[in-house]
Structure formats: structure tokens, C-alpha cells
Amino acid sequence: MIIKNNKDIKNMFLVSSIVKDLLLYVSKYIKPGISTGYINDKCHNKIVNYYKAYPAVLGYMNYPKSICTSINNVVCHGIPSYNCILKNGDIVNIDISIFKNKYYSDSSKMFFVGTPNINVLKLCTVTYNSIFYALKYVKNNNKINLIGENIQNYVENYGYSVVKNYCGHGIGKKLHEFPQILHYKNNYNLRMKTGMIFTIEPMVNLGNNKTYIDEDGWTVKTKDNSLSAQYEHTILVTKNGYKILTL
């Protein structure tokens, strides 16, 4: 477990502010007829040329692009492509991780392409709100498994399912640090400590929680072809609660 000092936290605020600005920047390109490859290019150029940073996932375990774009039944790790064109009614998760001044930050959010239907809107709203429901339990000395327990309780109350194959993670001078942050009930009894920084990033399916990896080796899809939503924030544990670095 890595406890961040004041210098670490200052740098994490900086890189996190860049990620949240990038998610605002990319929003103007989310519309019918735009390819995810084009969105990737816009993000890459902004990260490298404007922020003088590096897209953390580019080349990570041979991942070929600078962001992840996960559409409709894609749970996570969707690879941007010029052949993948956004259509009215789609939902897409944009996941951005950057590296600057020896530190990483990570965040993602759902975007609606055109006008969403009521079922899509509800799924995304519940997924987003589940983070804040769990954040009530994030503070010094609380058990870390309270995060997953309360996300699962909240999500299942609406009839949705939580993906169990993937999880949040510590973050700082590495993109993925200890501990893992599970989004479902578990017996992980580690206690949160002031200065910990990790991501909370529940993936919630309209159907069941079963997934599979596509032939490209990266794209994770729902087995029953149901829609999936995900939001992610980088969180700092404080003495009396938390700070959302990517809000």
C-alpha cells in the first residue's frame, strides 16, 4: 500500500486536472457520423502537443491507441478505429489515462450520441450514482471492501449487474498500483489510509455480468449483448473523507 506525501498529492492533482479537461474537450466530438479513430487522434494530439504529456495506455501491454472507446455492449478497452462510426442513440465510454512529471491519472465517463432513450439514461445514471453512494464510506481506517459492497447493493437494487472481471486500482507513479478496488461484495479487509489514491470505476450491465474478450485481444463485451456503462474517478483518501481528483 502506497501512501502519497504532499509532493505526490500535488502532482496527482495536476495530472488529474488534465484528464478531466480532456474529457470536457472530447465531448464536442461525440456526435453521429464521427469515427472513434478521429476522436482518438484529437485526444492524442491534445495530450502530446498541448499538455506535453503522454497517453498512458499507448503501448501498454501492446495496446495500439491513446484512449479507449467502448460503445454500447462493449464493457471496456474498446480500441478506436476509423471504421467505427458513432450512430444516433449509441452510448460510448471514453477512458483517458495520462502520464506527466512521473505521475499517472485515470478517468472515464459515458457520452450519449444524439438523444438517449430512457433505459440508456437510467443505466448510465445508476452507474454514475453508484460511485457517490460508495464514496460515503471512503475515509481513513474504513475497510476498503465497503466500496464494492455498497456499489453492488446500489446497482442490484435497480436490477442491473456489476462486472466482476475488472476492477479499480491504486495509481500514482505507476498506472496500476496496489490495492485493487473491487466493485462487488468481497472479503478484502485492508483498511483505507489517509494519502491513498485509487480509482473507483464500476462497470454495470443492463443484463447479466458475464463478459468475453473479442478477437483483437482487448475489447471486452457483454456475453448476452446487453448494454454496459462505466464511469471512473481518481480518488484521494483524506482524514475525514475523500477528494475526487478528476471531478
Side-chain angles (χ1 to χ4, degrees):
M1 182 169 62
I2 300 174
I3 303 300
K4 272 63 176 180
N5 59 34
N6 289 337
K7 178 185 176 183
D8 296 328
I9 293 170
K10 181 179 179 180
N11 278 286
M12 289 298 293
F13 266 104
L14 170 64
V15 293
S16 296
S17 70
I18 294 173
V19 170
K20 67 181 181 182
D21 286 350
L22 284 163
L23 286 169
L24 289 171
Y25 166 77
V26 77
S27 63
K28 62 185 175 183
Y29 300 108
I30 309 297
K31 53 188 176 182
I34 298 296
S35 76
T36 56
Y38 179 80
I39 295 168
N40 176 83
D41 290 349
K42 285 294 184 181
C43 280
H44 178 89
N45 291 335
K46 190 78 169 178
I47 293 167
V48 173
N49 297 321
Y50 182 80
Y51 289 109
K52 308 301 181 185
Y54 187 80
V57 296
L58 181 60
Y60 180 79
M61 296 179 67
N62 296 317
Y63 185 79
K65 297 292 182 177
S66 297
I67 63 173
C68 297
T69 53
S70 302
I71 301 174
N72 296 336
N73 67 328
V74 177
V75 176
C76 60
H77 304 158
I79 300 175
S81 168
Y82 299 115
N83 296 321
C84 183
I85 308 298
L86 297 179
K87 304 183 299 297
N88 186 60
D90 284 344
I91 55 173
V92 56
N93 177 275
I94 306 293
D95 192 344
I96 301 178
S97 308
I98 70 143
F99 176 71
K100 184 179 175 69
N101 297 341
K102 300 181 180 179
Y103 291 86
Y104 292 87
S105 188
D106 195 3
S107 186
S108 81
K109 74 184 298 285
M110 300 301 297
F111 293 89
F112 304 123
V113 184
T115 305
N117 66 49
I118 190 65
N119 291 328
V120 165
L121 185 60
K122 183 180 177 183
L123 172 66
C124 292
T125 300
V126 168
T127 304
Y128 186 69
N129 287 346
S130 72
I131 294 178
F132 289 86
Y133 188 76
L135 281 172
K136 294 187 294 184
Y137 302 91
V138 173
K139 64 179 179 180
N140 183 57
N141 212 40
N142 268 6
K143 288 185 178 180
I144 210 162
N145 61 15
L146 288 172
I147 296 172
E149 177 182 339
N150 284 282
I151 286 176
Q152 183 175 359
N153 286 341
Y154 186 84
V155 165
E156 291 183 350
N157 187 53
Y158 290 90
Y160 304 136
S161 63
V162 178
V163 173
K164 296 183 178 180
N165 306 69
Y166 305 93
C167 62
H169 51 89
I171 188 168
K173 290 187 176 180
K174 294 182 180 179
L175 180 58
H176 297 109
E177 295 180 346
F178 183 82
Q180 292 184 333
I181 306 299
L182 307 181
H183 303 118
Y184 55 90
K185 296 174 184 177
N186 62 87
N187 296 318
Y188 199 18
N189 288 323
L190 179 73
R191 292 187 180 273
M192 292 174 261
K193 298 296 179 185
T194 300
M196 288 178 68
I197 298 180
F198 51 73
T199 69
I200 300 178
E201 47 183 301
M203 301 162 209
V204 177
N205 294 348
L206 192 63
N208 66 53
N209 63 10
K210 304 303 180 185
T211 66
Y212 72 96
I213 299 176
D214 208 357
E215 294 176 355
D216 61 22
W218 278 102
T219 304
V220 179
K221 296 182 177 180
T222 57
K223 271 195 173 180
D224 61 6
N225 205 40
S226 63
L227 295 175
S228 186
Q230 180 194 18
Y231 290 86
E232 176 182 12
H233 276 306
T234 296
I235 310 294
L236 166 68
V237 180
T238 65
K239 183 178 180 180
N240 298 312
Y242 61 88
K243 290 281 188 182
I244 306 175
L245 305 187
T246 50
L247 186 64

